[in-house]
Amino acid sequence: MPRLSATALHDVRFTLNGRPARVAAEPRLLATDALRHGLGLTGTHVGCEHGVCGACTILIDGVPARACLTLAVQFEGRDVRTVEGLAPSPDRLSVLQEAFRRHHALHCGFCTAGILMSVDAFLKTTPDPDEHLVREVVGGHLCRCTGYSAIVAAVLDAAAILRGDGSNV
Amino acid sequence: MRAESVAYTGQSLPRVEDAALLSGRGRFIDDLGVRPGTLEAAILRSPHAHADILSIDTSAALALPGVVAVVTGRDLAALTLPMVAGLKVNVENWPMAVERVRYVGEPVAIVVAQTRYLAEDALDAIAVDYAPKPALLDPVASIEPGAALLHDTSGGNLVSDRRFSYGDPEGAFAAAERVFEITVRYPRNTGAPMETFGIVADYDPHEGVYDILANFQGPFSIHTVLARTLKVPGNRLRMRMPPDSGGSFGVKQGVAPYAALIAVAARIAGRPVKWIEDRLEHLVGAVAATNRVTTLRAAVTAEGRITALDFDQIEDCGAYPRAPEPATLYRMHGNMTGAYDIANVAIRNRVALTNKAPTGLVRGFGGPQVYFALERLVQSIAVGLGRDPLDVIHRNLIPAGAFPYRTATGALYDSGDFPAAVETAAGAGRYAELAARRDKARAEGRRYGIGLAAVVEPSVSNMGYITAVLTPQERAKAGPKNGAQASATVSIDPTGTVSVTTASTPQGQGHRTVLAQVVADVFGLAPSDVRVICELDTGKDAWSIASGNYSSRFAAAVAGAAHMAATRLRDRLARVAAAQFQAQAGDISFADGKIVAVGGASAPFARISALSHWSPGVLPEGVEQTIRETAFWTPPELTAPDAADLVNSSLCHGFIFDMCGVEVDEVSGAVRIDRYVTMHDCGRVLHPGMVEGQIRGAFAQALGASFFEELAYAEDGAFLTGTFADYLLPTATEVPDLDILHLETPSPFTPLGAKGVGEGNCMSTPVCIANAVADALGVADITLPLTPARVAALVERPEPAPPEGAGATAKPAGRPGDRTLRGEGSAFVPAPREQVWATLLDADALASIIPGCHGVKKLSPTHFTADVTLGIGPVKGRYKADVMLSDLDAPNAATLSGNVSGALGTGGGAGRVTLTEAEGGTRVAYVYEAAVGGKVAAIGGRLLDGAAKAIIGQFFAALARRAAPDRAGLFARLLGMLTGGHK
Amino acid sequence: MKPAAFDFVRAETLEEALETLASHGGDARVIAGGQSLLPMLNMRLAKPAVLVDIMGLPALRAIRREGDAIVVPAGVRQAELLASAEIAAQPLLAAALPFLGHYQTRSRGTVCGSAAHADPSAEIPLCLVALGGEVRLRTRRKARRVKAADFFTGMMTTAKADDEMIEAVAFPVAQPGSAYAFKEYSRRHGDFAIVGCAARVASDAIDLAVCGVADTPERRSFPRLAGSALDDALNAFAWALDARDDLHASARLRRDLVRAMGRAVIEEAERCLA
Ligand code: FES
Ligand code: FES
């Protein structure tokens, strides 16, 4: 039975944004710290470390997860996606990211990565959501800057484009 | 010179900031990486609101792996001076407790270790011995004569008391047809940016230089405070800001005291030290807005014209008057009359210290507190006179032609047309529709109300306004303070491209985009041709005390300074081009990336702009280099407060008129916003998308203040809202849509005609909603936040009585803030009373039945200390306990009291136990009161009652077991009885 | 806010998990979704010596139907139950689960984890008590089944012994001739309920369960009352729950909500029945 001792570093192997990754972690190392400081992916932010703000939201096996409520050792063998993996290439933005830019759906951008990850997963299973549903999903995040309306508009716009309904900018 | 073509300013361009932020490439302070060898800090914080520190034992912490240093208040005091306050008072303002703690969450020690994990391990190992003192939480009580002192040297908790009189308020009140009065208590809340504080500090012992990287937002007047505290000259304190900052809303001004702490920790550790504040720390101790008690009176004519106002404001600045406080109280001083033309004003401003966290800048800064009183009063005047509130507002608005308008208290309002703004908002059938919706709802028996609010939003603070806290004589002695220096630098590199830096510290407002727009227009370039860098470095950049990002000064002041610097460079470039083209400078224009002369000669911008680098010899006589220009701009209107205490506290004055309709469910206390209209005049709009974003953001934050947010304290000073599950921010499901309207009257006082806009709804919206709820329920006394329980309690409805014989009763409603846990119960113990008594009275026996008790030290037969492990569910902690028996009445009754303290917090309580003989044994009855403080109270509030109940239940079960140890199955039976018999 | 140190056991069999619990007692804790446990670890409210990860046990991941019960083993996430075919058999669950936390926490949090946490305001314990469900516990040596009403013993405390783990919870499926309804009131969407109500109405009976008021979810059964008789029954229930004041609501508001929402939820179920 694999028992990882508290004081030792353990090699954790997983898939990160489509590529194999590994990080050395004590059992207590939070996934946020492993991603940000262990692997240098600082796009995943930390706003509360108790699971409420949503800034740290990533995808594990395709579904949203609060990285601050995840231990790095729980990444073992999983498929992990972060905001760094959203864009199709380093100099381009995804449809969702572009919609956020068009709608001024971010100010400081601290909350943004988490929201993008949630919505990215959500639109895959719910391509044609109504505003109410979008508000509920975005409601799992705190944004102190925008007042949310622009975020909701951006999500609905991105959904329409992804469905092929064209932009309603 | 041709007027510049305004191609970009005023347009909602996509922001240059966004691509990086959207793809995870932002550079916030914790994203930057640090020098190898940098250590991490964690801060031990006080669980007590008020206590003397008897001793701090750091030896066990220092012995832990990875720990490099532990810094206490005494270590700090040896290397620093107390921080200066914004007022003259004999109080030692330390950023970490020295000898005494004065609020829950106050830093007590800093652990510096290899990782934050190891540093937090060591926090648990520091033993602090406290002697708690009574806590003062209510500002009104704390300034009463005879109240215990927070600071022994201050001569009282009332640290400032100033009276002001403008015009003839006494005469106006004496002549008044009606006088209205209102008393309001504005709660404590905070900006709660999503990114917390962060600092990386280093000290060079040879040069004596502190280098501090921090997500500080200014004002950089605080740089002088920090340099003095750290005992270095200004040029030996280098402060640097990261490129991105995750929101601030004023709050990151409060980074400063922590910058001093971490700087000293780095000096002691001899290595760079990094500290990222966590959310619990942020909520308990970062920065709170002031809570304020205001009594406001108005002298009013029978028609509703206000002829005089009389403010009595008691400001609660928490435990230390930390610079720039009491600025919250004076920021609005020039515009205390709001949007109204009122000639006579009396003001009494008092500043109280209490055992709460220190206060500071929070979006709205003084506005919410003032307008809550003023606009609630305007509504009460309307109700009292039987008039429409809109009519009372109209009657008192400053007339359209009156600008620039000097208020009674000294502000010079720059521009506006308030009546037109109100008419536009209320017009187009909007107000009539609200009234119709109210009529319809009321006809159907629903509770619907309309709220209005008219406010003036000040921006670009006068650095001198805070000196209004001093008397004119004190000010004369100290010398005048005034102005609002803004600075910007525009430079051209050898390839001829343009860069801009400013002494601003954006936290998401899109400054880089707006500066690129403004500067691009000056040079006839595209915004994408201009590169803007906002990472203020006090070691290299042009800055001054007003630098930073606060008081909504960016659009009005900083963008204007950049425009000035660019214009100066452009004018020189025009002369250079004129020489090249053999033309007159006045015939040169800049457009589409070219510099063009009237005759048709033209050259690409870069050809001319780079000449200063490559061939300075071709510059015409008398034309200086075109490489770099720094502009400083301060408006002449911002003069120092004068001998009559007239204070022009801000340069710009925007106007907001809000109007809303709400429906209240009187059972659940839920308030639904049916319609919300907000009208803004913020002068010239530089980027409509960003202005809308600021309005929506402020509106959401104001909804938080209206319905959800309060930094709550118990009566004993315990802090109760330490997590985002207790301090509630609105989410997307709580923020309704909003109608935004604009009227533009450009400011004549700012280079671009712009005014601030980001704070206004924090001032107007809470009171607009309060007015609507008051209207819906027909009540006068509204306190924020409007929680469901509070709203429901505003409606007097008799409650159905408990059924006969159920034994249930309505417990007397606790006083607000009273978090004492009370309980009573009884248990049957199948043992003779004498035996139960003997068990109670035997310290060893007693210790053995206290749940989780070990390591007993007997101080007397009825007094012992012990270690106890207490827990409920997964929440377990080790505590030191002090247990005593008193008021012995053998064998009938005794009082059992105890205190516990540990890493999770503190607790104390007392219970009276009575023993009566009963059939086959003894009935043990008890009543208790207990209070819990520290971390566990702040983060586990909803657990506490249950925890106390469970632990007390365990205690009596154990007592029964001990007193009658030979009865099988007793434990289970007793537990059953306890649960059943417990009330 | 970083956890204290602990060992981490990736259990590969149920026996290994139970063995670890048996040898460490109260110092070991099961981690599944982690949505309740991790905040406590981060705040150091809990400092277990060992965590036992059970998410690698395939047997615990599959929802199954056992006769009249939907059996949800310990590895099933809340979102998986919500998306499952089995949930159609119990409309109360389908109505209540969308209120449980947020989209982003349901995707990780497990159904059994919520039961183990025993928050007095939580939806899963409410549904278990409302439906008369059961909690299946297991130690290295023996398995037992505890009725939901007996499982929740107090605020965040349960009848689970330190060496036991929840293997599964079982929700009875809808009874023929019964209709179900759920409502909750919270300060913000996704917050713990100030009051939550779940009702079952059949031709001759009403079951009403309430969370957020007493230390545990509580259920009462009445005959098919209406009018003032129903008011009286609801009033008696409201008082019997011994509501308290806290930061988020007052005792009075909670009683008012039990009376008003209790009636509304019963009426909604009655409409479904009709
Ligand atoms: S940091 Fe993870 S939810 Fe806030
Ligand atoms: S954009 Fe700043 S918190 Fe959302």
Side-chain angles (χ1 to χ4, degrees), chain A residues 6-32:
Chain A
T7 48
L9 289 174
H10 308 276
D11 190 23
V12 183
R13 292 165 187 248
F14 57 107
T15 306
L16 179 57
N17 295 325
R19 297 197 190 167
R22 56 199 287 185
V23 69
E26 281 181 8
R28 64 165 159 171
L29 184 73
L30 297 176
T32 38

Side-chain angles (χ1 to χ4, degrees), chain A residues 105-112 115 142-146 151, chain B residues 194 246-247 249 507:
Chain A
L106 63 158
H107 294 187
C108 76
F110 198 79
C111 67
T112 312
I115 299 178
L142 297 177
C143 170
R144 196 56 154 168
C145 299
T146 62
I151 295 173
Chain B
M194 284 300 107
F249 320 109
Q507 309 106 5

Side-chain angles (χ1 to χ4, degrees), chain B residues 398-401 403 415-422 655 681 743 745:
Chain B
I398 295 166
F403 295 87
S415 62
D417 186 342
F418 300 174
V422 171
F655 177 72
D681 179 353
L743 183 87
T745 61

Side-chain angles (χ1 to χ4, degrees), chain C residues 30-43:
Chain C
V30 169
I31 178 167
Q35 301 300 290
S36 306
L37 182 60
L38 260 289
M40 300 226 198
L41 296 182
N42 290 1
M43 294 179 195

Side-chain angles (χ1 to χ4, degrees), chain B residues 433-456:
Chain B
E433 197 210 336
L434 277 184
R437 293 178 77 82
R438 177 170 64 184
D439 290 346
K440 177 164 183 288
R442 289 186 176 175
E444 291 165 6
R446 291 179 284 129
R447 302 277 206 158
Y448 193 103
I450 296 174
L452 307 176
V455 319
V456 162

Side-chain angles (χ1 to χ4, degrees), chain C residues 3-17:
Chain C
F6 47 77
D7 285 358
F8 188 84
V9 172
R10 276 192 200 113
E12 286 168 348
T13 64
L14 191 57
E15 291 64 40
E16 283 175 1

Side-chain angles (χ1 to χ4, degrees), chain B residues 249-250 289 292 328 331-332 335 360-371 456-458 551-552 698 701 758-764:
Chain B
F249 320 109
R292 187 180 298 178
T328 315
R331 193 258 181 132
M332 310 296 287
N335 53 286
L361 272 62
V362 176
R363 194 180 204 169
F365 200 42
Q369 293 91 329
V370 166
Y371 289 119
V456 162
E457 173 182 4
S551 79
S552 305
Q701 207 162 322
E759 300 180 78
N761 283 90
C762 288
M763 307 182 189
S764 58

